[in-house]
Amino acid sequence: MEDQKYILFESYLSKELSEDEIIAFESRLKNESDFNQAFNTYKELTSFLEHKHDNEVASTAFQNNLKTISNTYFENKETDKKVVRFKPWQYAMAASIVLLMGIFTFNNFSNPSFNDYNNYETISLTVRGEQEDLLKAAENAFNNKDFAEAEVVFGELLAKDDSNKELQLYRSITLLELDKFDEADSLFGRLSNSPSVYKNKAIWYLALSKLKQKNHDACLEILKTIPEDVDDYIQAQELIKKLD
Amino acid sequence: MSEKKIHEDQKYIDGLLKNNSFIIQAIYDKFAPKVINYIKQNSGNSDKAQDIIQDTLITIYNQASENKLQLTCPFDAYFFLLCKRKWLNELKKSSSKEVTINEDVLSKGDEAQELAFETSVFGEKQALFTEMFQKLGTACKDLLTATFKIKSMEEVAKSLGVTYAYARKKKSLCIGKLTELVRESPKFNRLNN
């Protein structure tokens, strides 16, 4: 009896029943709750087994990758403590920048310029634990506003790992500082069109690049695409007001 | 019922599904600290938190790849609830004494709660199915593995040296057996209610 039931399930799922048989089968599904439950579990298990085998390779790749990222993250949690100590200071700095900007915007009735906005927070590329010389050099050059040097080092770093979006962002800011607008804009454009946490930053800097090029119309257009929940939203809105 | 709106945080689900390292890293950077804190404050430690987070992400991945997970709430809330639920289950399993928890009351309309609940049921079912599959006899296990790997029943029959009709019948009976094992387990009844 039970055996027949499972053979029937299989035939139904592989669409091998005649029209009449299907009608009879579906009416049993409706009217016999045990039959219905057994069928649902059978179907669920079939889908589970199918998927388990179809997806084995992708799933293993995912799990391995996840493990690596997880291990790195948790190993570095220890090192992160060092960074935490700097935090209050960073906040103070960020706060003072915001305050300064507030004062500037309050008193400043002239046209806004790129130099009002290029106060970068100190970047920190080596917090993840890998104390690489090259990363350190990039960090120092950028933080000391030695952009010519920074461009060289970012170039070298990206030659090794051209998919690193964080480095791409800092490289494009560096290019912007050096007035290499074409390269900078195309890099910002690419970053702002690909999903990453740097996407919105890239949009903001692309707008600043247009500002520096005195292309105020383009700058406005771009500023208006910055979503509300982004860090730079308020600054963007202020800039829009001044340019309009 | 109208189509629910998909939250923009769906990008995290899609990123996991595509095995996008950048997104996975972002998930850790943004959402792990809250979970780690919670677990540490509730009789756990950093190692436990690492396991819970990893298992949770695997469950989300599995659900997303098997039946299209659509996020209708912020990832933050969904992910935190899932990790929390998993950790509380872990605590219940390992400690004989009753753990006092503010049980989350499942309020209707709370998207994050509902979604997290669905995903955790999905995860527990998967674990149960895997466990029950191991309980099958060797013949059934081999036949089912071959069936779902090779796809064509003719080839399966050939590789196992049986007739096509027999292989087909055997396949339904083996999944039938598995169905019974699953339905008989108390855990399954708890999950289905």
Side-chain angles (χ1 to χ4, degrees):
Chain A
M1 258 318 278
E2 290 293 295
D3 285 3
Q4 284 313 312
K5 187 168 79 185
Y6 298 126
I7 293 170
L8 192 60
F9 288 169
E10 189 62 38
S11 307
Y12 178 76
L13 286 176
S14 11
K15 302 192 178 7
E16 285 171 358
L17 296 181
S18 70
E19 227 164 281
D20 289 346
E21 285 169 323
I22 292 176
I23 293 170
F25 186 87
E26 287 175 351
S27 121
R28 283 187 75 183
L29 280 185
K30 228 181 268 169
N31 300 320
E32 299 172 35
S33 84
D34 186 74
F35 185 80
N36 183 307
Q37 281 171 20
F39 174 70
N40 278 328
T41 308
Y42 187 98
K43 201 169 76 175
E44 219 176 324
L45 281 163
T46 305
S47 140
F48 165 75
L49 290 169
E50 245 166 33
H51 183 263
K52 191 173 132 190
H53 290 100
D54 284 353
N55 207 37
E56 220 171 5
V57 178
S59 171
T60 315
F62 168 75
Q63 293 192 18
N64 289 338
N65 191 21
L66 178 65
K67 244 173 243 167
T68 315
I69 295 174
S70 166
N71 285 337
T72 320
Y73 180 84
F74 277 88
E75 273 163 27
N76 285 329
K77 279 215 66 76
E78 296 307 308
T79 351
D80 270 359
K81 282 183 188 131
K82 247 190 287 166
V83 181
V84 172
R85 253 193 293 143
F86 286 103
K87 276 234 164 114
W89 175 81
Q90 282 180 341
Y91 282 134
M93 180 166 159
S96 60
I97 290 173
V98 170
L99 192 69
L100 275 174
M101 283 206 178
I103 295 167
F104 269 127
T105 42
F106 208 72
N107 295 327
N108 194 355
F109 294 98
S110 62
N111 272 337
S113 85
F114 173 71
N115 290 329
D116 299 339
Y117 294 95
N118 66 346
N119 303 299
Y120 312 111
E121 286 181 52
T122 321
I123 66 167
S124 169
L125 300 169
T126 49
V127 287
R128 291 253 150 257
E130 64 240 272
Q131 299 293 339
E132 254 190 66
D133 293 346
L134 217 47
L135 280 174
K136 195 78 204 154
E139 194 180 302
N140 286 337
F142 189 91
N143 289 337
N144 295 327
K145 297 199 184 295
D146 181 355
F147 294 111
E149 168 70 13
E151 191 204 352
V152 177
V153 187
F154 280 128
E156 280 179 47
L157 282 167
L158 283 164
K160 280 199 274 180
D161 174 14
D162 68 346
S163 63
N164 187 321
K165 297 237 161 57
E166 187 180 18
L167 293 178
Q168 284 177 17
L169 178 74
Y170 291 134
R171 170 152 186 269
S172 40
I173 295 176
T174 304
L175 291 166
L176 169 59
E177 284 287 347
L178 296 169
D179 289 346
K180 298 188 175 174
F181 297 119
D182 288 346
E183 274 183 85
D185 288 1
S186 91
L187 204 48
F188 285 135
R190 244 185 294 146
L191 279 167
S192 63
N193 283 322
S194 62
S196 83
V197 292
Y198 301 108
K199 184 181 155 116
N200 291 312
K201 271 277 174 236
I203 301 178
W204 167 242
Y205 281 112
L206 183 58
L208 289 185
S209 170
K210 298 297 179 198
L211 179 67
K212 198 176 183 189
Q213 296 169 58
K214 305 237 182 302
N215 184 349
H216 291 179
D217 289 342
C219 177
L220 273 172
E221 284 309 305
I222 298 163
L223 287 172
K224 285 175 185 162
T225 66
I226 295 179
E228 259 178 73
D229 56 345
V230 169
D231 296 344
D232 300 307
Y233 178 73
I234 297 174
Q235 282 202 75
Q237 291 305 310
E238 282 171 4
L239 187 50
I240 289 175
K241 256 185 236 154
K242 287 198 215 170
L243 290 173
D244 247 348
Chain B
M1 207 168 123
S2 63
E3 267 291 289
K4 284 179 184 167
K5 200 168 169 269
I6 307 226
H7 197 276
E8 60 166 320
D9 282 357
Q10 178 73 25
K11 64 185 177 206
Y12 294 112
I13 309 283
D14 297 342
L16 285 174
L17 205 49
K18 287 186 191 134
N19 195 8
N20 177 333
S21 304
F22 198 77
I23 295 276
I24 303 175
Q25 181 70 55
I27 291 177
Y28 273 94
D29 288 340
K30 279 192 176 176
F31 307 116
K34 191 168 157 190
V35 177
I36 299 169
N37 267 342
Y38 177 81
I39 292 181
K40 278 185 177 170
Q41 281 164 12
N42 289 279
S43 9
N45 56 34
S46 181
D47 285 350
K48 298 276 185 206
Q50 180 169 10
D51 292 345
I52 293 286
I53 292 174
Q54 208 167 300
D55 286 353
T56 301
L57 289 174
I58 291 174
T59 306
I60 297 177
Y61 172 89
N62 284 337
Q63 197 194 2
S65 66
E66 188 170 332
N67 54 11
K68 295 240 186 319
L69 176 59
Q70 299 196 316
L71 203 64
T72 46
C73 63
F75 186 81
D76 188 13
Y78 167 72
F79 180 66
F80 181 71
L81 282 171
L82 266 179
C83 288
K84 184 174 156 189
R85 186 180 286 274
K86 205 174 266 270
W87 174 238
L88 296 178
N89 280 340
E90 193 77 7
L91 281 180
K92 275 188 203 161
K93 243 189 276 170
S94 59
S95 73
S96 48
K97 60 173 193 259
E98 201 56 39
V99 186
T100 38
I101 327 148
N102 314 332
E103 271 301 345
D104 304 313
V105 185
L106 187 68
S107 57
K108 276 217 173 111
D110 192 332
E111 291 289 340
Q113 292 272 13
E114 278 178 37
L115 213 54
F117 181 73
E118 267 173 41
T119 303
S120 74
V121 168
F122 176 88
E124 286 179 52
K125 273 192 183 170
Q126 290 240 314
L128 178 71
F129 292 171
T130 309
E131 185 190 334
M132 293 302 148
F133 183 80
Q134 293 310 323
K135 286 195 179 169
L136 286 175
T138 322
C140 264
K141 270 194 268 188
D142 290 350
L143 180 108
L144 288 179
T145 307
T147 305
F148 287 101
K149 266 208 177 122
I150 304 178
K151 306 273 176 213
S152 139
M153 270 328 267
E154 282 92 350
E155 280 179 46
V156 173
K158 215 193 282 169
S159 79
L160 295 174
V162 295
T163 65
Y164 170 76
Y166 179 81
R168 272 213 46 143
K169 184 178 163 199
K170 209 63 192 138
K171 177 191 172 193
S172 6
L173 298 187
C174 285
I175 304 180
K177 177 77 194 151
L178 189 55
T179 306
E180 279 163 18
L181 283 173
V182 166
R183 292 185 75 206
E184 280 160 12
S185 81
K187 198 176 164 197
F188 183 70
N189 291 316
R190 194 165 46 75
L191 284 174
N192 254 12
N193 283 321

